[in-house]
Amino acid sequence: MNFDSLKQQKSRRTPFYYYDMALLNDTLDRLESAAKRYHYHVHYAMKANCNEDILKTIFKRPFGADCVSGNEVEKALSMGVAPNQIVLAGVGKSDWEIEQAIDAGIFCLNVESLHELQVIGLIAEKMGRPVKVALRLNPNVDANTHKHITTGLKENKFGIAHNDLGLALELLDTLDFVSLSGLHFHIGSQIMELQPYIDLCHQVNQILDFLASKQVTLEHLNLGGGLGINYHNPDIEPIPNFKLFFETIHKHLKSDLPVHFELGRSIVGQCGALVTRVLFEKQGASKNFLIVDAGMTELMRPALYSAAHKIERLNDETSNEVMKYSVVGPVCESTDSFGDDIALPLSVRGDVLVIRSAGAYGESMANNYNLRRLNAAEYSYDQVSVKDTL
Ligand SMILES: *Cc1c(COP(=O)(O)O)cnc(C)c1O
């Protein structure tokens, strides 16, 4: 990530998000060529970051949209994404969201329960419009990630239980306006190993055998998203290894059906940083606090799932003495902390810190608690020199 243009912006009011658009474009280049090799379809999971400029940059590419709300569908349509490139997931879709999706003619609705399937059937019938669905199945695969971002275990609220697939097929037979287009899976987020995806492929192969034995045919498979990024060392791996990811899927999935993916974090995670300024230093009983002007209102991940983001000081001209700090925000909540034992050069009031790898689930989760308001984002379009990328 390139911070050169940020260094000229130091007097700007903080906190704000800073996006390296050259890195985003490089990431998109790699993703596009990796996916093309297997004719894989990529839908960008909009909830990871729905900043206008980020969306514009992504949707210039031949990617579709993965939406989890009616407003995201509306946004994707308004940004020129073709309806047949949009998928809608979500464990609790409202009637208006289902109606809107049917009306727009999106690619498919990913259905998460038998009850939802029934309701979609009723709404489609009332509208007199056919609709395509994919059944989101819960494959009971452990993604080995934080429990709050695991979604594919049988105790999670997501998807239709494996055992209910037969019932879902029977129900589909009774719904005149609903046709089965595919199967959908999404096992979790920030998945750092490929093994969970290999396990998923094996599960999918078995389910496909079962469906073939019942003469059920499909038009597509959707393996969701979840590919993780390196939060500890963002500069070692600024772009996730999409090539290896797709190669692994291709090797283990035994199917000729078109395969779709819904990637969020792996596309936008590393191109964003949250820029904040040190307000105060405080010597606690057992900790050195650095109180900064960004908090859980701007970046919720640490408070929500104990996520650790690498923190660096932008200016390197003062001291080189390294200190261990607890870096905390201004919000009146004890979880408003970016972590303890963070090694930084001795930092003083006014120093600018960058909280790295904040491009995904950062700005999109920002909120107005305490009536706080996020400052406008800053963008860099500078190409990183070849030397830096090696
Ligand atoms: C959040 C979400 C994604 C994207 O997950 P990432 O970990 O950001 O890749 C994909 N599909 C569904 C259904 C989701 O809810």
Side-chain angles (χ1 to χ4, degrees):
M1 187 157 174
N2 185 340
F3 289 105
D4 290 348
S5 71
L6 185 61
K7 288 181 180 150
Q8 286 131 41
Q9 295 278 341
K10 273 200 300 204
S11 57
R12 255 204 64 170
R13 188 172 188 173
T14 46
F16 59 86
Y17 274 93
Y18 176 81
Y19 294 109
D20 182 337
M21 303 304 271
L23 176 57
L24 175 59
N25 268 310
D26 289 347
T27 306
L28 294 169
D29 284 346
R30 293 262 192 102
L31 174 60
E32 203 179 320
S33 70
K36 207 185 260 171
R37 194 149 159 225
Y38 304 108
H39 305 287
Y40 286 163
H41 301 267
V42 175
H43 301 259
Y44 169 58
M46 287 172 69
K47 72 177 190 286
N49 190 323
C50 35
N51 168 299
E52 190 83 10
D53 295 75
I54 299 269
L55 289 182
K56 266 189 209 148
T57 304
I58 294 174
F59 289 139
K60 274 189 194 135
R61 308 283 177 146
F63 300 145
D66 167 46
C67 303
V68 288
S69 75
N71 290 345
E72 283 189 0
V73 171
E74 191 183 308
K75 183 80 189 169
L77 290 168
S78 79
M79 307 227 42
V81 181
N84 67 3
Q85 296 244 72
I86 297 176
V87 293
L88 176 63
V91 72
K93 303 176 189 71
S94 295
D95 291 15
W96 74 266
E97 293 176 308
I98 295 170
E99 283 162 18
Q100 178 202 46
I102 294 174
D103 196 48
I106 69 167
F107 177 68
C108 109
L109 280 81
N110 297 330
V111 177
E112 306 221 9
S113 66
L114 297 179
H115 196 180
E116 181 192 341
L117 186 56
Q118 210 161 27
V119 169
I120 290 174
L122 287 173
I123 291 176
E125 186 171 358
K126 201 172 72 193
M127 293 171 73
R129 297 272 301 268
V131 62
K132 287 190 175 188
V133 298
L135 298 176
R136 176 169 178 176
L137 297 180
N138 186 328
N140 197 21
V141 164
D142 191 350
N144 280 326
T145 184
H146 190 275
K147 68 178 190 305
H148 292 168
I149 48 176
T150 292
T151 56
L153 283 174
K154 60 181 188 300
E155 60 264 36
N156 297 130
K157 70 175 177 180
F158 302 97
I160 296 172
H162 232 145
N163 296 340
D164 288 344
L165 178 56
L167 283 176
L169 296 174
E170 282 172 28
L171 179 56
L172 273 164
D173 271 342
T174 69
L175 304 174
D176 295 336
F177 286 83
V178 184
S179 59
L180 179 64
S181 169
L183 297 179
H184 175 233
F185 304 85
H186 175 65
I187 56 175
S189 199
Q190 184 50 18
I191 300 170
M192 288 307 281
E193 289 143 20
L194 291 170
Q195 192 58 45
Y197 289 105
I198 296 175
D199 296 345
L200 173 63
C201 287
H202 294 157
Q203 290 281 355
V204 175
N205 294 340
Q206 280 184 16
I207 297 168
L208 291 175
D209 285 345
F210 169 77
L211 291 178
S213 76
K214 297 219 153 206
Q215 276 83 45
V216 176
T217 53
L218 298 173
E219 294 164 6
H220 82 278
L221 293 173
N222 183 339
L223 300 190
L227 185 63
I229 60 169
N230 191 334
Y231 281 96
H232 298 289
N233 230 325
D235 294 318
I236 285 190
E237 221 178 337
I239 301 178
N241 197 339
F242 298 115
K243 188 165 169 276
L244 181 63
F245 174 62
F246 290 139
E247 225 168 69
T248 305
I249 301 281
H250 182 77
K251 187 169 151 204
H252 294 274
L253 190 66
K254 305 270 173 281
S255 168
D256 296 327
L257 290 169
V259 185
H260 294 242
F261 292 89
E262 306 164 334
L263 298 172
R265 186 190 313 272
S266 52
I267 299 179
V268 290
Q270 295 292 27
C271 75
L274 178 59
V275 182
T276 184
R277 191 175 263 109
V278 176
L279 297 173
F280 307 112
E281 307 145 55
K282 175 156 113 174
Q283 194 82 49
S286 60
K287 293 174 174 175
N288 287 320
F289 290 104
L290 273 186
I291 299 161
V292 299
D293 62 5
M296 64 194 288
T297 37
E298 288 71 43
L299 180 62
M300 217 189 211
R301 299 188 66 257
L304 200 54
Y305 14 73
S306 318
H309 287 254
K310 186 169 189 195
I311 303 179
E312 290 167 341
R313 200 183 62 178
L314 185 67
N315 48 324
D316 33 34
E317 56 272 13
T318 42
S319 159
N320 282 323
E321 189 185 333
V322 173
M323 292 275 289
K324 289 271 177 87
Y325 291 107
S326 292
V327 179
V328 301
V331 177
C332 186
E333 297 283 343
S334 296
T335 53
D336 184 33
S337 166
F338 294 108
D340 297 319
D341 289 324
I342 294 170
L344 285 170
L346 186 70
S347 299
V348 298
R349 174 172 167 79
D351 281 348
V352 175
L353 304 182
V354 289
I355 304 177
R356 302 287 307 273
S357 314
Y361 307 104
E363 188 176 349
S364 63
M365 282 188 173
N367 61 75
N368 299 113
Y369 185 44
N370 293 188
L371 278 190
R372 287 168 59 81
R373 197 182 302 144
L374 189 59
N375 297 300
E378 192 75 42
Y379 306 87
S380 160
Y381 292 88
D382 302 340
Q383 283 298 328
V384 182
S385 70
V386 177
K387 181 176 107 311
D388 293 343
T389 62
L390 291 177

